[in-house]
Amino acid sequence: MARYTAYVMDISYYSGKFEAYLRYKEIPYERVDVDHPRLYEVYRQTGTMKVPAVRLDDGRWLKDSTVMIRWFEGEHPSPPVYPSDPVLRFLANLLEDYADEWLWRPAMWWRWMPTDSRFTLGHRIAREVIRGGPPAPVWAMAAYFAWRQRRTWLWGDGMTRDNEAQIRAMYPRQLRALQAILDRQPYLLGSHPSIADFGYFGPMFRHFGTDPDPAIVMRQTAPAVYEWLARLWNARASRMPATPSFVTPAGAGWDDLWLDLCGTYLPYLRQNALAFRAGASSFDFNAGALRLPGTKTTDYRVWCLQDLGRQLRALAPDAQEGVRAFLRPYGGVDVLLDDEIDSGLDDELAVPFAPRPPAPALRRARAWLQ
């Protein structure tokens, strides 16, 4: 009997990441595709209208894919998805965070800006979300979702006519790097899936590899990436060698990823955290050639910076220096050792937890419409 009930959506970025992990580890679970009533149940129990979420058989809950995978690794440690080498483990966690949070922006562009993808996904989300809820025309809800996503995650989050081409180009640049890596090895860090693979799987599987427009680009320009998606979705730990052979993420393809991660993403996390500490709801992001005026300040990404900094500080001195030396040519990670800015989310992200108190009706309505 499954100990876990996983609430997911088949089009969800983080649902794909988390479900691929459960499938690989062969952890029995009951899969629940959320509709309107089930999404409200998740909100009522976890305080957030987001999936994936997991209900344990004792009534407690888990949320947030990164935190949930860490918890599941404690319950189901073999085979590990975190490398045993401390330097490599930190680099794998860094890649997961980068794929989770930085690739969200081009994933939103490629889902909601091209006409075919916007039309297809708008209608699909509308049908799935309104199922079981208040009656509403699918066409109207589809138009609303397309408008809301572009307003919230693109035009309302730093994208302008001047930088739109740069945001669009983030995806093809990722494909070129990943194609070079996955053309010579089955998974990002070698013989077995690691947390870096699952982090990248979120945007690559449920957005780039499935949505009409970006899927064409992937099939035509990065067939090794397209093959990796199916390989990871079909991977089962019991069919693989017992001991993973993880390798250093260096060589063809990796330089471009590390340059972007150290030179653009980590400065973004720091600038976001400084804006959060100052009480600003937005900030003008600047790093290299990229300018994102009016970028939303996000408390969760303050937590990401806080979490990565804690991981780096917790390493033994030789391992910490190993990380810093490895990434120094790409811009380094010293920003993670700057003064820690508290996100205030540690208690919120502690799992597992008892069901949250019901939110006021006004807050529920606001969460639904935003």
Side-chain angles (χ1 to χ4, degrees):
M1 182 177 180
R3 293 173 53 196
Y4 315 112
T5 302
Y7 292 76
V8 297
M9 292 186 74
D10 194 57
I11 56 173
S12 162
Y13 191 121
Y14 298 107
S15 291
K17 167 194 173 184
F18 179 63
E19 200 170 1
Y21 167 82
L22 293 178
R23 288 163 59 92
Y24 169 62
K25 296 295 289 269
E26 299 177 84
I27 298 170
Y29 66 103
E30 179 184 353
R31 186 180 195 276
V32 176
D33 281 296
V34 301
D35 53 15
H36 185 277
R38 291 188 177 97
L39 192 58
Y40 174 69
E41 178 187 357
V42 169
Y43 181 71
R44 186 167 56 86
Q45 302 291 349
T46 69
T48 182
M49 196 171 282
K50 296 178 181 178
V51 291
V54 169
R55 178 170 55 81
L56 306 183
D57 59 2
D58 63 7
R60 293 179 299 164
W61 286 74
L62 302 93
K63 65 179 181 179
D64 187 87
S65 62
T66 295
V67 173
M68 290 196 296
I69 289 175
R70 290 179 187 175
W71 184 85
F72 271 95
E73 280 293 283
E75 298 289 307
H76 305 272
S78 183
V81 301
Y82 298 103
S84 58
D85 177 81
V87 173
L88 195 53
R89 183 172 62 248
F90 178 83
L91 295 176
N93 281 325
L94 185 58
L95 287 165
E96 182 217 11
D97 188 74
Y98 168 70
D100 266 0
E101 302 302 322
W102 191 239
L103 299 192
W104 174 258
R105 191 180 302 274
M108 289 292 102
W109 192 97
W110 281 91
R111 172 165 284 186
W112 296 112
M113 293 304 292
T115 302
D116 287 349
S117 289
R118 180 168 70 245
F119 180 86
T120 301
L121 274 298
H123 278 256
R124 184 176 174 190
I125 291 173
R127 287 194 303 272
E128 293 182 7
V129 171
I130 68 176
R131 188 172 62 239
V138 171
W139 66 266
M141 292 300 296
Y144 166 71
F145 282 121
W147 169 80
R148 183 186 72 170
Q149 298 300 82
R150 285 182 294 170
R151 181 203 66 171
T152 303
W153 302 114
L154 292 169
W155 300 117
D157 192 24
M159 191 175 85
T160 67
R161 296 297 181 191
D162 292 332
N163 62 30
E164 182 180 359
Q166 291 174 284
I167 293 171
R168 179 188 184 279
M170 290 178 182
Y171 169 52
R173 190 165 64 246
Q174 289 284 324
L175 286 183
R176 287 192 293 272
L178 294 176
Q179 173 69 18
I181 296 165
L182 294 167
D183 201 35
R184 63 179 185 267
Q185 60 197 45
Y187 299 102
L188 292 177
L189 296 185
S191 66
H192 288 55
S194 72
I195 191 62
D197 289 276
F198 294 111
Y200 258 98
F201 192 74
M204 290 292 163
F205 183 52
R206 285 284 167 76
H207 279 242
F208 297 134
T210 306
D211 293 355
D213 293 87
I216 293 172
V217 177
M218 183 183 292
R219 289 194 299 268
Q220 292 179 347
T221 66
V225 181
Y226 201 61
E227 182 183 24
W228 164 79
L229 293 179
R231 183 186 307 123
L232 185 54
W233 188 242
N234 194 44
R236 298 294 182 274
S238 63
R239 300 200 295 253
M240 305 189 73
T243 304
S245 177
F246 292 130
V247 298
T248 302
W254 283 111
D255 285 354
D256 287 343
L257 294 184
W258 291 124
L259 283 168
D260 190 52
L261 193 157
C262 295
T264 308
Y265 178 58
L266 293 183
Y268 162 78
L269 287 183
R270 180 62 180 175
Q271 292 176 38
N272 174 75
L274 291 171
F276 177 81
R277 184 167 65 183
S281 60
S282 64
F283 63 101
D284 293 336
F285 171 69
N286 293 280
L290 184 61
R291 304 285 184 271
L292 299 172
T295 303
K296 288 179 182 293
T297 306
T298 307
D299 60 353
Y300 182 78
R301 291 173 187 160
V302 179
W303 181 83
C304 292
L305 180 68
Q306 193 176 14
D307 181 61
L308 290 169
R310 288 170 177 170
Q311 290 184 51
L312 186 57
R313 292 186 188 93
L315 293 178
D318 61 334
Q320 185 179 124
E321 180 52 33
V323 169
R324 297 175 71 186
F326 179 79
L327 293 176
R328 195 170 289 127
Y330 306 107
V333 290
D334 287 353
V335 66
L336 297 178
L337 299 175
D338 289 342
D339 58 308
E340 182 175 328
I341 298 174
D342 186 12
S343 65
L345 293 181
D346 283 343
D347 290 342
E348 178 74 15
L349 294 173
V351 296
F353 53 82
R356 306 299 196 201
L362 183 60
R363 182 180 164 198
R364 294 199 301 269
R366 187 180 298 118
W368 175 254
L369 292 172
Q370 286 180 345

